[in-house]
Amino acid sequence: FNTLDVGSTSSGGYQPILAFRKGDNRFGIFFYKSSSTEQLFVGTYNGTAYNFFGINAGSYINDNWYHIVGTNSSGTIKMYINGVEQTDAANASTISLADNDSFIGKLSSNYFTGLIDEVSSFNVALSQEQVTTLYNGGTPYDITNDSTLSARLQGYWRNNSLTSAGKWEDLSDNS
């Protein structure tokens, strides 16, 4: 997931930014807001148990763009914001999301109320170096011009590239 404008919102509960689902298995990046807290979190669900961790989003300024990456590999979930790893957490869930359904800004009846731009998904967990490359100092980075990253793309949506039906166009070779 490339960029996010947290935006001010009065909506409560969890708001999906990017989610993947295959059967009962889920992986996603979410924004959560209650009367006492705002959090960004990355998590998995394997049909019986949730595994996730979050960071306090109160330190992030509304109406600013942030580059957020979530990974899940080898029993560890990681979150990066603006190219910097925030924390990681052990993940007891092993999930397979091959041939999954992808959701941008919506999952079930929950919606994200901020802005989202430049979303990408990969078939491997990205390394710190790859996350730094994608962040690119906050300047948009065209993944299709990077042979290493583009070979691992499962989906790549840029908000400035819409289909004739007004939907985000998948710019990966896997659409």
Side-chain angles (χ1 to χ4, degrees):
F1 168 68
N2 283 352
T3 51
L4 160 73
D5 178 1
V6 174
S8 58
T9 176
S10 59
S11 297
Y14 85 91
Q15 300 174 25
I17 298 168
L18 178 62
F20 302 98
R21 178 178 67 194
K22 181 176 182 181
D24 287 337
N25 294 326
R26 292 169 175 73
F27 173 75
I29 301 172
F30 300 88
F31 177 72
Y32 177 81
K33 182 173 184 168
S34 72
S35 60
S36 61
T37 187
E38 291 182 344
Q39 288 188 312
L40 287 169
F41 67 91
V42 175
T44 63
Y45 177 70
N46 68 0
T48 57
Y50 289 96
N51 288 284
F52 61 89
F53 72 93
I55 60 167
N56 186 338
S59 61
Y60 294 94
I61 301 168
N62 287 336
D63 302 320
N64 284 321
W65 287 99
Y66 295 95
H67 179 267
I68 301 173
V69 174
T71 65
N72 179 32
S73 177
S74 302
T76 302
I77 301 172
K78 294 183 179 183
M79 180 190 295
Y80 302 84
I81 297 180
N82 293 343
V84 177
E85 184 178 337
Q86 300 301 299
T87 188
D88 60 34
N91 180 19
S93 295
T94 301
I95 61 172
S96 171
L97 291 172
D99 301 319
N100 62 63
D101 294 322
S102 303
F103 301 88
I104 301 171
K106 178 185 185 278
L107 183 61
S108 302
S109 62
N110 296 355
Y111 293 86
F112 178 68
T113 58
L115 301 174
I116 299 171
D117 189 25
E118 302 229 5
V119 175
S120 52
S121 65
F122 298 86
N123 62 3
V124 296
L126 299 179
S127 67
Q128 173 69 64
E129 181 181 348
Q130 290 168 320
V131 170
T132 301
T133 297
L134 282 176
Y135 175 55
N136 198 31
T139 302
Y141 184 79
D142 187 349
I143 299 167
T144 60
N145 292 328
D146 184 312
S147 61
T148 302
L149 287 171
S150 66
R152 297 303 205 163
L153 273 177
Q154 293 300 294
Y156 181 40
W157 303 270
R158 297 183 82 181
N159 201 14
N160 59 344
S161 185
L162 302 177
T163 66
S164 60
K167 297 187 178 199
W168 286 19
E169 178 183 7
D170 184 352
L171 300 173
S172 73
D173 291 331
N174 298 309
S175 50

